[in-house]
Amino acid sequence: MNDRPAFYDFFAGIGMVRLGLEPEWRCLWANDIDSRKAEIYAANFGGDVFRLGDIADVRGRELPGHADMAWACFPCQDLSPAGPRLGMRGPRSRAFWEFIRILKELAAEGRRPPLVVIENVAALLRPESLAPVCEALVRLGLRPGALLIDARWFLPQSRPRAFVVAAEEGPLSAAAWARGLAADGPDPFSPWTPPRLLRAFEALPRRLREKWVWWRLPPPPERRPSLADLLELEEAPEDAPWHPPEETRRLLRMMAPSHRRRVREAQRAGRRTVGALYRRMRDGEQRAEIRMDGLAGCLRASRGGSSRLILMVIEGKQIRSRRLSAREAARLMGVPDGFRLPLRYADAYSALGDGVAVPVVRWLSRHLLLPLARAKEVAYARHVSP
Ligand SMILES: C[S@@+](CC[C@H](N)C(=O)[O-])C[C@H]1O[C@@H](n2cnc3c(N)ncnc32)[C@H](O)[C@@H]1O
């Protein structure tokens, strides 16, 4: 099976990128600084390719072989609207620049992967972040383009994420055009190139716009599981027992009138309705905000006291609430049930909230990255043949 294309997994966490890429791809090397995540990774994939440690200590020469792709989900704290918005110059974004340094070291050895994928929160598309990222990729001889993919098209979770895909300039990018994987302009019907992305592109300096690639990715599958499909609603999971009624009442009291109205309407409808709720500070007051559109809000690592997702199940007069179990959180990220999760709930929840939705990686791989990796073989065979 060594004819499968190979990838390096930077900021690999618990391996959710690998879950989405395998079995078509094989992982040559993975790195993360977090020892708890490393344990989860090893429990599921073994420890052979995983290098635990700070990316600042990684040297290009230690990465094995020739990879067809480098994937990097670098830390988002400096980009996230929830954080201090320091952008690509912030201390956590330093990790991205270390990633670029390693690509340069690989380039010096003639081993820079011809495909690079960078995933992050949608705020990566702000001009002050997107421009330096594209600039760095262009300097490495790559042509970048981006897609904004919301996991809601695949899973009942609203999770918009930016994916910058960059392909080697020359035969590979030419093959991408020839095979209809890339085009000169955005597809007006594509859900992956919304106005926000078009504005981000327009704000790039001209020299970067000239290198830009509008990737073609087919529309999402027609069916996706509903929130209720992923939950254990008959009996509460062991790590997520139903709240005592007083706690549920407290959550209801924390709701703004418009949100309480949503609950009452669901009660009147009579059938079982599942709502997903977050506690948020609004004007100095803690509010319970519920959505009943069949989607959960974005799952995120609950650092610094940010709240975790709560389920509210409404059936006529009966209203129950509880947290999401670790397994349910995994399902919400598209992680298969066979994946081993850590025993500590907080470890599982944080690691999953940091990850990338597995079906999104799979969709991108099957419809763009794999065809590109295959186009690469064709392109290079043509390039070297007399
Ligand atoms: C957005 S998460 C990526 C999650 C991952 N894709 C997954 O599937 O679990 C960013 C990751 O970067 C790691 N990280 C942060 N700083 C790092 C550094 N200096 N060196 C290596 N990894 C780092 C974090 O531990 C975290 O797992």
Side-chain angles (χ1 to χ4, degrees):
M1 290 288 271
N2 270 358
D3 53 346
R4 289 179 298 161
F7 72 102
Y8 299 138
D9 194 355
F10 290 84
F11 313 104
I14 61 172
M16 289 161 76
V17 169
R18 182 164 171 177
L19 280 177
L21 292 178
E22 280 186 341
E24 291 90 349
W25 294 80
R26 73 199 148 95
C27 182
L28 286 185
W29 178 89
N31 164 247
D32 202 283
I33 199 171
D34 186 325
S35 56
R36 288 202 182 134
K37 288 187 181 175
E39 279 173 27
I40 308 173
Y41 187 101
N44 286 284
F45 303 104
D48 299 358
V49 299
F50 196 97
R51 188 223 198 258
L52 175 65
D54 191 332
I55 189 170
D57 299 328
V58 173
R59 298 290 163 259
R61 62 174 180 276
E62 61 183 90
L63 272 64
H66 279 78
D68 302 273
M69 176 168 76
W71 187 299
C73 302
F74 69 97
C76 64
Q77 288 89 337
D78 290 336
L79 300 181
S80 171
R85 292 191 174 212
L86 300 170
M88 295 308 295
R89 289 204 205 98
R92 304 300 295 261
S93 298
R94 177 187 60 87
F96 171 79
W97 298 108
E98 296 291 348
F99 166 65
I100 294 294
R101 170 191 52 78
I102 295 168
L103 290 185
K104 281 186 197 153
E105 290 169 5
L106 289 170
E109 295 178 15
R111 294 196 294 138
R112 192 262 292 116
L115 256 182
V116 172
V117 181
I118 291 158
E119 182 262 4
N120 215 296
V121 291
L124 177 65
L125 300 178
R126 289 219 305 267
E128 64 274 25
S129 299
L130 188 63
V133 167
C134 289
E135 181 80 58
L137 294 168
V138 167
R139 285 197 180 167
L140 278 158
L142 300 157
R143 294 192 61 175
L147 298 159
L148 183 63
I149 308 185
D150 192 332
R152 69 188 295 169
W153 296 100
F154 303 85
L155 294 163
Q157 182 191 172
S158 160
R159 193 178 186 85
R161 289 291 182 267
F163 293 80
V164 175
V165 176
E168 186 161 275
E169 172 137 42
L172 178 55
S173 43
W177 256 269
R179 294 181 162 216
L181 300 168
D184 291 332
D187 171 358
F189 302 108
S190 169
W192 318 126
T193 50
R196 178 176 185 173
L197 177 58
L198 306 188
R199 285 195 299 273
F201 166 76
E202 291 298 337
L204 287 176
R206 189 161 161 206
R207 65 175 189 291
L208 296 178
R209 287 204 309 271
E210 282 171 0
K211 296 288 182 188
W212 185 267
V213 185
W214 289 104
W215 298 113
R216 287 286 190 259
L217 186 69
E222 293 210 335
R223 285 175 57 88
R224 59 166 169 78
S226 74
L227 186 54
D229 287 342
L230 307 187
L231 305 175
E232 278 149 50
L233 292 176
E234 302 312 327
E235 229 170 280
E238 251 174 50
D239 61 345
W242 295 112
H243 288 150
E246 178 43 34
E247 175 60 14
T248 305
R249 281 197 288 274
R250 198 174 73 89
L251 290 169
L252 288 165
R253 281 197 302 272
M254 280 163 67
M255 286 181 189
S258 58
H259 287 248
R260 231 175 286 150
R261 211 173 306 126
R262 285 180 202 168
V263 175
R264 271 200 302 274
E265 276 163 21
Q267 282 189 295
R268 271 199 293 275
R271 61 184 135 60
R272 178 149 76 190
T273 310
V274 182
L277 178 154
Y278 266 119
R279 282 190 304 251
R280 290 209 169 92
M281 289 307 283
R282 297 281 180 215
D283 301 326
E285 222 184 311
Q286 209 181 40
R287 288 291 195 190
E289 296 185 347
I290 190 162
R291 58 191 295 171
M292 315 268 264
D293 57 356
L295 295 177
C298 185
L299 202 73
R300 21 170 220 270
S302 51
R303 289 191 195 89
S306 69
S307 90
R308 293 196 185 116
L309 194 73
I310 296 171
L311 301 171
M312 191 166 263
V313 183
I314 301 145
E315 287 178 282
K317 282 208 173 105
Q318 190 190 45
I319 304 180
R320 292 172 299 165
S321 63
R322 63 169 172 83
R323 68 184 185 180
L324 203 61
S325 74
R327 182 56 64 196
E328 289 167 332
R331 290 180 190 152
L332 210 49
M333 294 298 293
V335 170
D337 278 0
F339 191 84
R340 292 194 188 94
L341 294 171
L343 292 177
R344 268 197 62 203
Y345 180 86
D347 290 347
Y349 194 95
S350 280
L352 290 161
D354 256 352
V356 53
V358 175
V360 174
V361 176
R362 190 166 298 126
W363 191 257
L364 196 59
S365 165
R366 296 209 172 143
H367 297 283
L368 181 62
L369 305 173
L370 263 183
L372 275 172
R374 290 188 188 126
K376 185 207 77 173
E377 285 158 28
V378 177
Y380 287 91
R382 248 195 244 128
H383 197 55
V384 294
S385 59

